[in-house]
Amino acid sequence: MVETPTRSRVEGWSSGHLRQAAMGWQRQADLTEQTYTRAQHALDAAPWSGAGADGARAKLAENVAKVRGALALLERAGRIATAGADVIDAAKRAAVAAIQNAVSQFFEVSENLSVTDRMPVFFSAALALVRKIAAAHLQADIRAKAMMLALADEDVARQLDAVAEAMQTFDLEGGQGGAPKPGDPQIVGGPTPLTPDGTQGDLNSTIPGTGIEISGDGRAGYPTLNGERNPLEVPAGRPLPTGTIVGPDGKQYALYSEVPYIGPDGKANPNYATPDTTVVDLNDPSKRIGVLPGISQASGVYDPATNRMVIVGNDGPNDRTRRLYMSDPIDPKNPNGWMQTLKPQGEIKGLPGDRESQVVALKGGGFMLVGSDNFDPTVPGDQPMGVVTASTPEGLLTAKATPLFPGPGAWPGGAAPYGPTVVDTVYDPVTGRETVQLRVSTWEKPPGWVPTPGQPDMPYNPKTYQTNITVTH
């Protein structure tokens, strides 16, 4: 989201770095072209024949073709930078001229681009009104032109980012370089600012693209399914959703921790998860069809490439170790048999955490796992939530995490977000970008509430928010 720049930022805006970069890219392109041209001439002139010579010439020709593609990208970046600098310079001139126009009419333009009158207050009320209206018009004009400047700069950056992403796939060695390759999804943007979603409960799990909502504790009581009391009855407890799955036949599963209200000590149960995960077929959401023993807070996804079910879960409640499990190939004659064939594949090293997680298949290919954590604010670098992506489920085991919402400034009411669930994704095959719509929960302090003797616990005040993450393929 582009913010209106300050006056000093507008007046100090520079495009010199773009022009210098354009010249540098052109010099690099010219030098590389000359180097490969000399190499080709030298090889052609060499008194060398036979299979080795033919192989060397073929390899050089192959590399020249690849290099020319990279040079075209460098030249494109140079053109974008040069044209962008011209647009930015014109936008800056317009914004600065608008500021000077106000100043010349004896108005003051502040750092936040507010316009106030500098004329002494001794003229008539009618003239004062005219001046007030003029100040409002001048302020609107200045802020509009300042915003156009900021948008022009962002548009140039966006175009150059697209070229940079294309350059990352350049590799003379046929895929042996270190840059990400096409088909290996990468987080490139977000999260966008959190926007209010609801107050009906927390842990609102869903199946992406369906609109299904499976809440945790409802604001008024028992958990809900699509706004109604959840039909899965848990004696002396309630079902708290941990994730969802869509099977190979489109069958929809919901996964739950069946959490007692009272612990073994007779006191209120402080845990919101159980050692095992209950599985329910949403065709009949009132009945359990199985359990995932020893897998806490599970979520899952079907991998069509291997016809296997993929599960991510914790070793237990309050345990930060997350593991990846995979089933045997699913037998269409026994579609729920995958629950008995799950085998651990390893620990997900990059994304530990003892709160909820969700693994999903991306429409552009590959998988994404987002997870939350009861982080420790006294530990430097500790995060409440992160995300990993990979082209295969096994790739999630070693994928590097991207932190989400790293500081209290990104948390509504100072409450750390938890319970991530993917609402939907939108994939653009032209740009290779996929927008992931994410819902998170918070438990914020109620307005005006302060701890009192006899009521030390903060009242339940659940809220949900939505944000977007961008993935490139």
Side-chain angles (χ1 to χ4, degrees):
M1 181 178 178
V2 179
E3 296 182 353
T4 304
T6 61
R7 176 176 177 175
S8 58
R9 179 78 177 97
V10 169
E11 294 175 332
W13 213 292
S14 173
S15 64
H17 63 292
L18 290 173
R19 299 187 189 280
Q20 290 175 0
M23 289 188 292
W25 291 329
Q26 188 60 54
R27 283 195 299 269
Q28 183 63 54
D30 292 341
L31 179 61
T32 303
E33 178 75 26
Q34 292 168 11
T35 300
Y36 271 88
T37 299
R38 286 196 298 268
Q40 187 151 23
H41 288 165
L43 189 58
D44 290 341
W48 186 22
S49 61
D54 293 340
R57 290 187 176 94
K59 183 63 176 177
L60 181 60
E62 177 187 336
N63 285 353
V64 166
K66 293 180 179 179
V67 165
R68 283 178 176 156
L71 296 183
L73 288 172
L74 281 176
E75 291 168 356
R76 179 183 172 192
R79 291 193 299 271
I80 291 171
T82 300
D86 292 339
V87 172
I88 289 171
D89 286 346
K92 177 186 175 181
R93 287 193 297 270
V96 171
I99 293 172
Q100 293 304 316
N101 179 44
V103 171
S104 68
Q105 297 182 51
F106 222 74
F107 290 97
E108 178 69 32
V109 181
S110 69
E111 182 67 4
N112 69 356
L113 302 183
S114 296
V115 176
T116 55
D117 201 349
R118 291 189 293 150
M119 291 283 286
V121 189
F122 58 75
F123 37 75
S124 68
L127 182 55
L129 178 60
V130 170
R131 295 281 296 179
K132 185 176 181 179
I133 294 172
H137 282 287
L138 290 168
Q139 177 175 298
D141 183 53
I142 291 170
R143 288 185 171 176
K145 288 183 168 61
M147 180 60 77
M148 291 300 294
L149 171 59
L151 289 171
D153 189 86
E154 182 179 4
D155 183 62
V156 175
R158 178 186 56 77
Q159 294 181 62
L160 291 175
D161 282 346
V163 176
E165 289 174 18
M167 285 292 292
Q168 285 180 345
T169 64
F170 172 70
D171 184 2
L172 289 177
E173 297 305 318
Q176 299 303 311
K181 301 300 180 293
D184 193 13
Q186 299 288 319
I187 303 295
V188 295
T192 56
L194 290 168
T195 58
D197 176 66
T199 62
Q200 67 277 16
D202 67 352
L203 303 178
N204 278 18
S205 292
T206 189
I207 294 176
T210 65
I212 293 172
E213 287 196 15
I214 313 170
S215 87
D217 287 315
R219 177 174 287 273
Y222 203 77
T224 62
L225 172 61
N226 296 328
E228 303 292 334
R229 180 185 173 91
N230 195 311
L232 184 65
E233 294 294 339
V234 179
R238 75 282 201 201
L240 298 184
T242 65
T244 58
I245 315 174
V246 176
D249 57 353
K251 180 179 290 187
Q252 298 175 339
Y253 297 95
L255 307 178
Y256 295 99
S257 286
E258 297 190 50
V259 181
Y261 287 113
I262 304 298
D265 58 0
K267 297 180 181 179
N269 186 2
N271 293 318
Y272 294 90
T274 53
D276 307 327
T277 298
T278 296
V279 183
V280 169
D281 183 343
L282 285 177
N283 281 328
D284 188 351
S286 66
K287 295 181 179 179
R288 302 159 183 80
I289 63 169
V291 66
L292 309 182
I295 307 178
S296 181
Q297 302 185 100
S299 65
V301 67
Y302 171 66
D303 180 13
T306 62
N307 188 33
R308 299 172 189 266
M309 203 68 85
V310 179
I311 299 294
V312 172
N314 289 70
D315 283 356
N318 307 312
D319 191 306
R320 299 184 72 243
T321 302
R322 284 196 181 99
R323 297 191 190 277
L324 181 78
Y325 300 79
M326 293 187 70
S327 73
D328 292 344
I330 297 174
D331 181 356
K333 297 179 181 179
N334 183 21
N336 295 329
W338 60 267
M339 288 180 278
Q340 285 76 51
T341 66
L342 290 171
K343 298 178 181 64
Q345 305 299 305
E347 180 182 347
I348 300 173
K349 297 289 188 179
L351 196 63
D354 60 1
R355 295 298 299 264
E356 305 77 18
S357 65
Q358 185 175 15
V359 59
V360 295
L362 296 169
K363 292 176 182 175
F367 299 85
M368 184 183 87
L369 171 67
V370 58
S372 53
D373 190 13
N374 271 325
F375 78 110
D376 185 348
T378 66
V379 176
D382 211 9
Q383 306 288 342
M385 196 176 296
V387 59
V388 294
T389 55
S391 56
T392 64
E394 297 90 338
L396 297 172
L397 294 170
T398 55
K400 183 179 179 181
T402 298
L404 304 178
F405 319 114
W411 308 344
Y418 60 91
T421 184
V422 175
V423 176
D424 201 0
T425 75
V426 178
Y427 175 58
D428 184 346
V430 176
T431 63
R433 288 182 176 239
E434 187 162 355
T435 301
V436 179
Q437 186 180 358
L438 190 69
R439 175 188 289 128
V440 299
S441 299
T442 66
W443 188 347
E444 301 172 31
K445 183 174 73 172
W449 178 84
V450 293
T452 57
Q455 190 190 11
D457 296 332
M458 189 172 71
Y460 181 48
N461 183 37
K463 294 184 180 180
T464 56
Y465 294 83
Q466 288 198 20
T467 183
N468 290 336
I469 303 169
T470 302
V471 179
T472 186
H473 295 274

